[in-house]
Amino acid sequence: MTARVSKPRHAAIRTLDSQDGQLLISGQPLTELYVQAGDRPCYLYDRQAISKQIDGLRTVMPDGVSLHYAIKANPHPDVIIFMRDLVDGFDVASGGELKLALAAGGNPRDISFAGPGKADWELAAAIEAGIVVHVESKGELARLADLAQAKGARPRVALRVNPDYQLKSSGMKMGGGPQQFGIDAEIVPAVLSDLSDLPVEFVGFHIFAGSQNLDAEAICSAQVQALELAERLATQAPAPVRLLNIGGGLGIPYFPGEESLDLAPIGASLQRIRAQASKSLPEAELIIELGRYLVGEAGFYVCRVIDRKISRGKVFLVTDGGLHHHLAASGNFGQVLRKNYPVVIGTRMNADDTETASVVGPLCTPLDLLADNMELAVAGPGDLVVVLQSGAYGFTASPRSFLSHPEPGELFV
């Protein structure tokens, strides 16, 4: 029997498919997928959920706006290959990610490289591949120019601008004030004036103020400000702007009280921005760059209960997974005050009996906590715990070697 199980008390737990009390992912039973992943803690990535998320976004996006995938959110090779035909380009944040993007068949013309502290070998690899380098500082530009001159090359560059505003309500602010990201907007004109003397090809700007935002109004405002800033800077550029990356910032709901982002006003705002840019920057390709929003809700982290312990009246479900596999769910990846990710007992989806329990891992630290005093189905050894919203910044953002426990598996389904 197939059932639909909803957890309305937690907005981030969307309606899930289940069969005979077992979670289904891409129509497949959880326990079967767990075995396929190596019968061990694992990440499961749902291709249908990724497609659905992108389709929903494309529905509101106007023509003339390109969608790029930020590989840092989830660099699993199968995810990147799947994304290749769904998005218009890739953004990479390291030489390793550049290799993954190229191996997946990404077109170098549609790959950009952003991030502070690019090593010389990474800049050299970018020059050789022919991708766009988003320059983060005057020093990086000088090193890139030296490498280009030595190679007799002329790499495409976009200046990443640290704007003079911030994206309000952002989970992480990456623009405004002093930042390691980008060139401060007030000194960009001076950098632009120097470009004509360097062996580089100016193509545009990258202006990104923050990430993980659930406030549509704030996102729209930041996008409008990004265009206005680009228009001002373009008057001093050595060539027409042919690329304008206005970042992303679209968030997903993780915690109680959070609601899914309303895309309608963002789509309408992008329509207006596209219309204005077609007049003020007629040669520019307008790009929004997203990572977490595209893959975050498509990921599931799964681990097995190995012990059920009651300590002075409190229930602990002790699992073979934990913060070494999923640092973000433990609350130690950007949270100031710890909040629970949405968690379910994936082998007891239809259970009527619930209890307040905490899910902990095998590590010798009280930080190893995946769920703190959550209402969960009554579970015991052998049951599978599932942490939802785990498709972004999970596997690769975790200290997987900590205490030398086995690494989790990954499976794209």
Side-chain angles (χ1 to χ4, degrees), residues 286-357:
L286 191 62
I287 296 170
I288 61 170
E289 173 197 319
L290 298 170
R292 184 198 315 266
Y293 185 80
L294 303 185
V295 297
E297 293 183 274
F300 304 79
Y301 172 67
V302 189
C303 54
R304 177 183 282 128
V305 177
I306 57 176
D307 190 18
R308 175 186 171 86
K309 176 180 178 179
I310 300 178
S311 174
R312 294 175 177 154
K314 182 173 180 176
V315 177
F316 291 91
L317 300 176
V318 185
T319 73
D320 53 2
L323 77 77
H324 55 313
H325 294 168
H326 201 331
L327 184 67
S330 74
N332 294 288
F333 188 68
Q335 289 189 46
V336 178
L337 298 175
R338 189 194 180 283
K339 300 177 184 177
N340 288 320
Y341 269 47
V343 174
V344 297
I345 306 300
T347 43
R348 297 184 181 270
M349 296 298 292
N350 297 338
D352 293 325
D353 294 335
T354 64
E355 65 183 355
T356 299

Side-chain angles (χ1 to χ4, degrees), residues 76-308:
H76 190 281
D78 290 343
V79 172
I80 301 172
I81 291 171
F82 184 69
M83 282 288 193
R84 182 192 60 208
D85 298 324
L86 298 180
V87 299
D88 305 304
F90 293 123
D91 179 75
V92 303
S94 70
E97 288 187 1
L98 173 56
K99 291 179 181 178
L100 288 170
L102 294 173
N107 186 339
R109 297 294 304 177
D110 300 316
I111 299 175
S112 58
F113 188 173
K118 302 179 189 72
D120 283 358
W121 73 266
E122 292 176 309
L123 293 175
I127 293 171
E128 185 169 344
I131 68 170
V132 175
V133 179
H134 289 176
V135 174
E136 305 267 350
S137 71
K138 294 170 65 176
E140 182 174 279
L141 177 60
R143 288 190 296 117
L144 179 67
D146 287 343
L147 290 165
Q149 186 169 13
K151 290 177 173 291
R154 190 175 178 81
R156 293 179 296 148
V157 302
L159 299 188
R160 181 168 180 178
V161 182
N162 174 26
D164 49 6
Y165 60 86
Q166 290 188 329
L167 176 52
K168 297 178 181 179
S169 307
S170 265
M172 292 185 182
K173 291 180 171 60
M174 304 174 74
Q179 293 285 346
Q180 69 262 48
F181 308 106
I183 302 170
D184 294 345
E186 58 270 24
I187 66 172
V188 167
V191 176
L192 288 169
S193 69
D194 293 337
L195 286 179
S196 297
D197 298 325
L198 299 177
V200 300
E201 178 187 356
F202 169 78
V203 296
F205 300 109
H206 176 189
I207 306 174
F208 181 39
S211 65
Q212 182 44 27
N213 199 300
L214 292 171
D215 184 339
E217 182 179 349
I219 292 170
C220 294
S221 175
Q223 291 174 341
V224 169
Q225 291 180 86
L227 175 59
E228 292 173 346
L229 177 55
E231 290 171 334
R232 294 197 302 272
L233 295 175
T235 62
Q236 302 175 69
V241 173
R242 290 186 279 121
L243 177 157
L244 176 56
N245 184 324
I246 59 173
L250 281 64
I252 62 173
Y254 284 107
F255 310 120
E258 293 184 340
E259 299 293 336
S260 295
L261 187 62
D262 183 3
L263 292 178
I266 295 174
S269 177
L270 285 173
Q271 184 73 51
R272 293 189 294 271
I273 289 171
R274 176 66 266 174
Q276 180 177 336
S278 67
K279 299 175 183 177
S280 60
L281 304 172
E283 297 184 39
E285 175 190 7
L286 191 62
I287 296 170
I288 61 170
E289 173 197 319
L290 298 170
R292 184 198 315 266
Y293 185 80
L294 303 185
V295 297
E297 293 183 274
F300 304 79
Y301 172 67
V302 189
C303 54
R304 177 183 282 128
V305 177
I306 57 176
D307 190 18
R308 175 186 171 86

